[in-house]
Amino acid sequence: MPTITCIDDLQRLARRRVPRMFYDYVDSGAWTESTYRANGDDFAAIGLRQRVMVDMSDRRLASEMLGERVSLPLALAPTGLTGMQHADGEILAARAAEAFGVPFTLSTMSICSIEDVAEHTSRPFWFQLYVMRDRDFIGRLIDRAKAAGCSALVLTADLQILGQRHKDIINGLTVPPRPTPRNLLDLATKWRWCLGMARTRRRTFGNLAGHVQDATDLGELAKWTAGQFDPSLSWDDVAWIKERWGGKLVIKGILEPEDAEQAVAAGADAIVVSNHGGRQLDGASSSIRALPAIVAAVGSRCEVHLDGGIRSGQDLLKALALGAKGAYIGRAFLYGLGALGQEGVEECLRIIHKELDTTLALCGLRDIHDVDTRILRPGSYPQPPRTAPRGERP
């Protein structure tokens, strides 16, 4: 077993153990992948201020997100096809999150169903919703999340139209993989993954299978899904979703202050500054660069979370310093899952926790709630605009 020191180590191990099409599904962005790269590069550009000869004892990282106590202000992001990184992946990731005391968010496009995850965990998890053309199905999906005890609904706003990811086209991504010569050759070198998949019954979209009318096999289900993302989704739809749900509502996919204002007006309890991991609009702002303006616009009226680019505890600390109430990791925990299953997700969380704790101390602080821009090197971090966006009142 190789020594694991950081998320990059988990990524290298996952690359060796996960079939190429599913590894590439995670490690890819839209078109030129410029926004995917910017998510990480813009975090790296932010410098920290080291302080010395201050009391660094009795440090506290625990906080709250959406009124829930968390061991550190971090959640596992909703990620599609998690159960294709490792057999029963969503269940294993949810268990790891529960053991560590952070929220887990289940994707609509998960392999394990809402009911599966609820059956195998004891802590309420969050559910992410894609709004599809079939509103009756979406209403029933919301009801299933309520029945399973989910404590928050995360409405994704930035996938009305699917961005193009070249690697998925090149790899011919399907669930399960097509038995092409290239795929069979790749699978022959991934025996751990194949053995795990042979032992599980969960190999399709668990939240959809058996719940979609006239979709009796995997091919029909995939065809139905491809035509269901709704380009007409608007802020008017949030009202009926919020009413049907009746609980905490998070709106994910916000990059502009104008949209943040709309989300708050629509009744969001929290918003997530996110560019879908750089997988939608190539050329959009990185999440961390967009964060300060959105915090300035709505941070006093709802929780602002960040998703995109966090690969370390230092990245998490920088997001908190710029006003995020909490943040999400997607690729980081998926690399852990693909590398080592549940233990890999727990190791990912341990790495981030240790990095956060050490960096907090070296910046001269003991309580995560005291973090602000004082810990950042002047001139290295993005700041909100001095004037309101064009067309908005100052």
Side-chain angles (χ1 to χ4, degrees):
M1 176 65 65
T3 301
I4 304 297
T5 64
C6 61
I7 301 302
D8 287 349
D9 291 336
L10 291 171
Q11 181 179 2
R12 283 188 284 270
L13 187 55
R15 185 185 290 116
R16 297 204 299 267
R17 293 188 171 181
V18 177
R20 179 174 179 176
M21 69 166 58
F22 296 123
Y23 174 82
D24 282 352
Y25 173 76
V26 171
D27 189 35
S28 65
W31 287 316
T32 69
E33 300 188 337
S34 65
T35 298
Y36 173 24
R37 293 191 299 273
N39 274 345
D41 292 346
D42 287 352
F43 264 113
I46 300 172
L48 297 165
R49 297 180 64 227
Q50 179 173 313
R51 301 299 305 276
V52 298
M53 301 298 286
V54 295
D55 187 355
M56 300 177 182
S57 61
D58 301 322
R59 295 181 300 280
R60 295 177 291 277
L61 302 184
S63 187
E64 289 189 357
M65 294 176 70
L66 291 176
E68 299 179 20
R69 292 292 295 170
V70 293
S71 60
L72 70 166
L74 187 71
L76 301 196
T79 55
L81 304 184
T82 301
M84 286 295 154
Q85 300 301 310
H86 190 287
D88 302 331
E90 290 89 357
I91 292 171
L92 301 184
R95 284 175 168 173
E98 181 177 307
F100 213 84
V102 298
F104 169 77
T105 316
L106 182 69
S107 170
T108 293
M109 304 307 296
S110 60
I111 301 301
C112 302
S113 69
I114 300 169
E115 293 80 8
D116 273 339
V117 175
E119 182 181 351
H120 290 87
T121 56
S122 58
R123 173 176 174 151
F125 56 94
W126 300 350
F127 181 69
Q128 174 269 338
L129 181 70
Y130 285 128
V131 181
M132 300 180 178
R133 297 174 189 267
D134 187 340
R135 294 295 200 264
D136 180 64
F137 169 76
I138 292 303
R140 287 184 280 113
L141 193 60
I142 292 171
D143 293 343
R144 288 168 60 195
K146 287 172 65 174
C150 294
S151 55
L153 186 71
V154 181
L155 172 61
T156 294
D158 60 358
L159 203 80
Q160 295 166 263
I161 295 175
L162 188 65
Q164 180 169 311
R165 303 147 198 169
H166 297 335
K167 291 176 185 175
D168 291 348
I169 297 173
I170 292 168
N171 290 329
L173 178 68
T174 60
V175 179
R178 291 193 186 98
T180 64
R182 178 182 179 183
N183 287 341
L184 291 173
L185 182 62
D186 183 41
L187 289 171
T189 67
K190 308 295 192 302
W191 62 268
R192 289 183 182 85
W193 185 92
C194 292
L195 185 60
M197 286 297 166
R199 291 173 173 172
T200 183
R201 58 180 171 80
R202 304 175 181 93
R203 304 190 194 99
T204 186
F205 296 114
N207 289 323
L208 310 184
H211 297 276
V212 175
Q213 187 176 4
D214 299 327
T216 57
D217 60 35
L218 189 57
E220 291 176 349
L221 192 61
K223 183 178 179 180
W224 180 88
T225 303
Q228 278 293 312
F229 291 106
D230 189 355
S232 71
L233 179 67
S234 73
W235 292 109
D236 293 336
D237 291 301
V238 178
W240 74 262
I241 293 170
K242 183 176 176 64
E243 182 179 2
R244 181 99 177 215
W245 169 244
K248 294 290 181 64
L249 178 67
V250 182
I251 298 181
K252 179 177 179 288
I254 304 296
L255 287 175
E256 298 296 334
E258 303 97 302
D259 289 332
E261 292 281 4
Q262 291 268 41
V264 172
D269 297 288
I271 61 172
V272 184
V273 179
S274 172
N275 52 37
H276 215 95
R279 296 162 65 80
Q280 283 295 93
L281 177 61
D282 193 33
S285 171
S286 70
S287 296
I288 192 63
R289 187 165 293 278
L291 176 65
I294 292 174
V295 170
V298 302
S300 64
R301 289 175 282 158
C302 78
E303 289 188 22
V304 178
H305 302 167
L306 179 135
D307 166 70
I310 290 183
R311 296 281 294 257
S312 69
Q314 289 201 337
D315 293 337
L316 175 55
L317 191 70
K318 292 170 184 178
L320 299 174
L322 289 175
K325 177 76 170 178
Y328 299 67
I329 52 170
R331 291 183 176 95
F333 93 78
L334 290 174
Y335 295 144
L337 180 67
L340 297 167
Q342 181 174 334
E343 173 58 29
V345 180
E346 292 178 7
E347 182 64 18
C348 165
L349 291 168
R350 283 192 290 267
I351 288 169
I352 292 176
H353 186 279
K354 182 177 181 180
E355 291 170 341
L356 179 66
D357 180 56
T358 301
T359 307
L360 180 73
L362 293 175
C363 288
L365 298 177
R366 296 189 297 170
D367 192 325
I368 201 69
H369 296 96
D370 294 333
V371 172
D372 58 23
T373 55
R374 292 173 298 166
I375 71 168
L376 304 179
R377 278 197 284 112
S380 71
Y381 59 91
Q383 300 187 44
R386 294 181 181 275
T387 58
R390 182 177 297 178
E392 298 290 313
R393 295 177 182 176

